[in-house]
Amino acid sequence: MGTFCSVIKFENLQELKRLCHWGPIIALGVIAICSTMAMIDSVLWYWPLHTTGGSVNFIMLINWTVMILYNYFNAMFVGPGFVPLGWKPEISQDTMYLQYCKVCQAYKAPRSHHCRKCNRCVMKMDHHCPWINNCCGYQNHASFTLFLLLAPLGCIHAAFIFVMTMYTQLYHRAKDRIQYYQLDEVFVFPYDMGSRWRNFKQVFTWSGVPEGDGLEWPVREGCHQYSLTIEQLKQKADKRVRSVRYKVIEDYSGACCPLNKGIKTFFTSPCTEEPRIQLQKGEFILATRGLRYWLYGDKILDDSFIEGVSRIRGWFPRKCVEKCPCDAETDQAPEGEKKNR
């Protein structure tokens, strides 16, 4: 509580200017991106929130973020503590043991040093950290150390979620494809050796060189080298079957966040490095997936699309296209196809 009160004192409000520096901007940007992406992945993919493990996982993510930011802002705004201007020891004879700072017009207390960046003598100065744009010293030493400890732990947790998200997506897609067509198939990930320890040993070895040659891999019993690639080909073919043809009704420049396509389109631009594609009225697009205000697909380039000679694909605003009448009439075709299969 004492720390919180010290943060909201009027004089500490002047410390907000410390945020206007490349160090805090980069540090907070990395924290925000990693935390946001990890939370989005945990909500959408791994683990499901309706399970006990998923709830614990999500609470841990929030806990990491809160503790990291709390200690980070404590280290930045509470500061290290400065030797009072004009300070001198109570016993005047002790001045003979101390250095005098001409800038602060004060004696340097034991373990204190003058920081050129802060332009003050810092109590128990460790160093001036650009990431918090402040010194690490007496008052914020614990918060700074906790931040350095918690940040890597939070990153490890986020990295685990990212890896597991990619790992589980193949299962979700395979399950979706099998359920959609009501097939009597069971997809088994061929490279899961059946135990975490055996999987771990494929990556981490005493020599530092991973097992295998990177081209052929050990697979579990009942699978073969091409079990995964066959499933990938099936998923790719399924994506083409489920794709929907659209006709472009508005030009689109390919801007990442187009202002002229509406506020909702502007603020819901996909957070991805995948490209946007320019559209001209009258063109045709084959959409394979989408969001509420955006679609992703391939531009149909005459016969080249069928021959696979050239592909132009990316995101585009949903309001720039309309579903072709022929596809609108056959929206239920996959359903009928599913029953026949």
Side-chain angles (χ1 to χ4, degrees):
M1 181 60 71
T3 300
F4 177 76
C5 292
S6 67
V7 172
I8 62 175
K9 286 181 179 179
F10 177 76
E11 58 265 25
N12 282 330
L13 293 180
Q14 305 297 325
E15 297 293 309
L16 290 175
K17 64 184 180 181
R18 293 191 182 277
L19 290 169
C20 302
H21 182 265
W22 62 265
I25 291 174
I26 294 177
L28 291 173
V30 171
I31 293 172
I33 292 172
C34 291
S35 300
T36 302
M37 295 305 298
M39 289 181 186
I40 291 175
D41 278 358
S42 64
V43 169
L44 296 179
W45 309 118
Y46 189 85
W47 285 318
L49 283 181
H50 64 271
T51 63
T52 302
S55 300
V56 172
N57 176 64
F58 190 73
I59 291 172
M60 286 182 62
L61 272 178
I62 296 176
N63 186 53
W64 288 126
T65 304
V66 171
M67 291 195 301
I68 289 170
L69 289 176
Y70 174 78
N71 285 285
Y72 180 83
F73 286 126
N74 257 357
M76 177 186 292
F77 293 133
V78 173
F82 301 109
V83 177
L85 296 174
W87 179 86
K88 60 182 179 180
E90 294 181 359
I91 302 176
S92 59
Q93 292 158 342
D94 290 344
T95 58
M96 62 184 296
Y97 305 116
L98 302 173
Q99 299 180 64
Y100 185 78
C101 177
K102 295 181 180 179
V103 177
C104 298
Q105 296 293 304
Y107 286 92
K108 295 181 181 180
R111 304 183 75 177
S112 66
H113 296 278
H114 185 84
C115 175
R116 294 180 182 179
K117 291 283 187 182
C118 298
N119 204 32
R120 289 289 299 274
C121 287
V122 178
M123 294 187 290
K124 193 190 173 186
M125 180 179 178
D126 186 278
H127 70 290
H128 185 92
C129 177
W131 303 110
I132 63 173
N133 195 22
N134 208 340
C135 280
C136 176
Y138 166 65
Q139 291 184 351
N140 64 354
H141 207 159
S143 296
F144 184 78
T145 303
L146 285 172
F147 166 71
L148 294 181
L149 175 66
L150 294 170
L153 293 177
C155 289
I156 291 172
H157 190 182
F160 170 77
I161 291 176
F162 296 152
V163 171
M164 291 306 300
T165 296
M166 293 185 289
Y167 184 77
T168 55
Q169 280 314 289
L170 187 61
Y171 284 103
H172 288 308
R173 291 172 183 171
K175 183 179 178 181
D176 177 64
R177 182 185 64 82
I178 292 170
Q179 289 180 346
Y180 185 80
Y181 294 113
Q182 296 182 353
L183 302 175
D184 295 328
E185 295 182 14
V186 177
F187 176 72
V188 178
F189 191 70
Y191 307 120
D192 183 357
M193 303 310 296
S195 72
R196 295 179 180 178
W197 175 242
R198 293 181 65 186
N199 293 338
F200 181 85
K201 289 195 300 181
Q202 288 191 56
V203 179
F204 299 96
T205 61
W206 290 111
S207 65
V209 180
E211 290 187 359
D213 59 3
L215 300 176
E216 295 186 0
W217 306 87
V219 295
R220 65 185 302 164
E221 187 177 353
C223 301
H224 55 80
Q225 286 293 325
Y226 303 109
S227 295
L228 177 61
T229 57
I230 290 172
E231 175 59 34
Q232 290 172 329
L233 289 171
K234 289 179 180 179
Q235 291 181 13
K236 196 169 184 179
D238 176 57
K239 184 185 291 186
R240 286 195 292 267
V241 169
R242 295 207 223 178
S243 60
V244 180
R245 186 186 296 260
Y246 287 86
K247 183 178 180 180
V248 180
I249 58 175
E250 289 185 22
D251 291 347
Y252 168 54
S253 64
C256 180
C257 300
L259 279 170
N260 61 340
K261 301 303 177 184
I263 296 297
K264 293 181 179 179
T265 301
F266 177 82
F267 284 107
T268 58
S269 179
C271 298
T272 173
E273 292 184 354
E274 292 175 314
R276 275 64 170 168
I277 56 174
Q278 295 183 4
L279 301 179
Q280 291 184 353
K281 190 174 180 180
E283 293 180 328
F284 290 92
I285 302 290
L286 205 59
T288 55
R289 53 191 166 100
L291 304 173
R292 185 171 182 180
Y293 298 103
W294 290 80
L295 290 171
Y296 184 92
D298 295 78
K299 185 181 292 188
I300 301 177
L301 304 174
D302 302 326
D303 295 335
S304 61
F305 172 78
I306 300 174
E307 298 173 3
V309 176
S310 177
R311 296 183 71 181
I312 300 177
R313 56 182 175 175
W315 290 95
F316 52 91
R318 188 183 285 268
K319 69 173 299 181
C320 292
V321 297
E322 65 177 6
K323 192 176 294 184
C324 291
C326 57
D327 283 344
E329 294 173 0
T330 58
D331 275 346
Q332 301 302 319
E335 197 70 28
E337 184 178 1
K338 174 179 70 173
K339 293 178 182 177
N340 293 334
R341 295 189 183 186

